[in-house]
Amino acid sequence: MRNAVVIPIFTLLVLSGILGLYLWQIGTGQKSLNYLPSALIDKPAPKFILPPINNDGEGFSTEMLYGKISLVNIWASWCIPCRAEHPFLMELARNGFTIYGINYKDEPKNADRFLQVLGNPYLAVGADSSGLTSIDWGVYGYPETFIIDRRGYIRYRHVGPISATDLSNKILPILR
């Protein structure tokens, strides 16, 4: 009977200690809630071929990533954080950076409207209507942005919307 009380209390204390340590590390800057390790860093981008979102153009494929430093942004018109980061993608595009888009499980007319209203920073956009390509990239939240080097290797992964701070402190230093 005594073990029935001691074991759950001990387990709760251990789990509370682990959570407390993790929260302390976040508070002291040793860890970040936005940092999520990726098994794809320093590995080639996944192989894929996606059709265009609106049956116009060529879509987007892995082959387009070779020969230049580029960003791959995974987004959707229904994604509120995608809308929040969009001005920063437009700024990057205006400054000559190459950005490709993977449109995740979206209605083509909604994706088109999103780009018509907010502007299109993408050199090409592929429609990931099944979501399988996004899974290959290891994406589980939207938006996510990857920096790809000239050889097609993933060098950086940004989870969540890009902010002004992210742009100046993380993304631009890597792109330069």
Side-chain angles (χ1 to χ4, degrees):
M1 180 76 168
R2 181 176 167 186
N3 284 343
V5 173
V6 172
I7 291 174
I9 290 173
F10 178 75
T11 303
L12 180 62
L13 289 173
V14 168
L15 291 175
S16 296
I18 292 170
L19 178 62
L21 177 63
Y22 184 72
L23 291 174
W24 175 78
Q25 289 175 328
I26 290 170
T28 60
Q30 295 176 35
K31 288 198 185 288
S32 167
L33 291 175
N34 288 333
Y35 174 74
L36 295 170
S38 174
L40 297 178
I41 300 297
D42 297 329
K43 300 220 168 57
K47 301 285 183 200
F48 64 92
I49 299 174
L50 294 172
I53 56 174
N54 57 10
N55 295 324
D56 291 343
E58 61 184 314
F60 176 40
S61 69
T62 308
E63 299 304 315
M64 296 172 153
L65 296 173
Y66 300 115
K68 62 191 157 296
I69 296 171
S70 57
L71 286 92
V72 174
N73 178 252
I74 302 174
W75 64 282
S77 65
W78 46 261
C79 164
I80 303 298
C82 297
R83 186 172 293 270
E85 84 168 355
H86 202 78
F88 300 107
L89 296 175
M90 292 298 293
E91 181 181 335
L92 284 166
R94 275 191 302 276
N95 288 315
F97 294 102
T98 302
I99 307 171
Y100 295 103
I102 296 177
N103 182 242
Y104 176 78
K105 289 189 173 184
D106 212 345
E107 291 291 327
K109 66 180 181 189
N110 294 341
D112 268 342
R113 189 174 325 123
F114 182 95
L115 294 176
Q116 286 172 7
V117 170
L118 299 177
N120 187 350
Y122 305 111
L123 188 59
V125 180
D128 186 13
S129 56
S130 69
L132 294 176
T133 299
S134 296
I135 290 171
D136 289 344
W137 282 82
V139 173
Y140 63 86
Y142 304 93
E144 285 196 27
T145 303
F146 296 84
I147 296 177
I148 313 300
D149 72 11
R150 289 178 174 85
R151 297 181 312 138
Y153 279 70
I154 297 171
R155 296 302 178 194
Y156 177 74
R157 173 188 184 193
H158 184 83
V159 177
I162 295 170
S163 68
T165 302
D166 297 326
L167 191 61
S168 62
N169 293 347
K170 297 176 188 172
I171 303 216
L172 285 174
I174 294 170
L175 290 173
R176 291 185 176 132

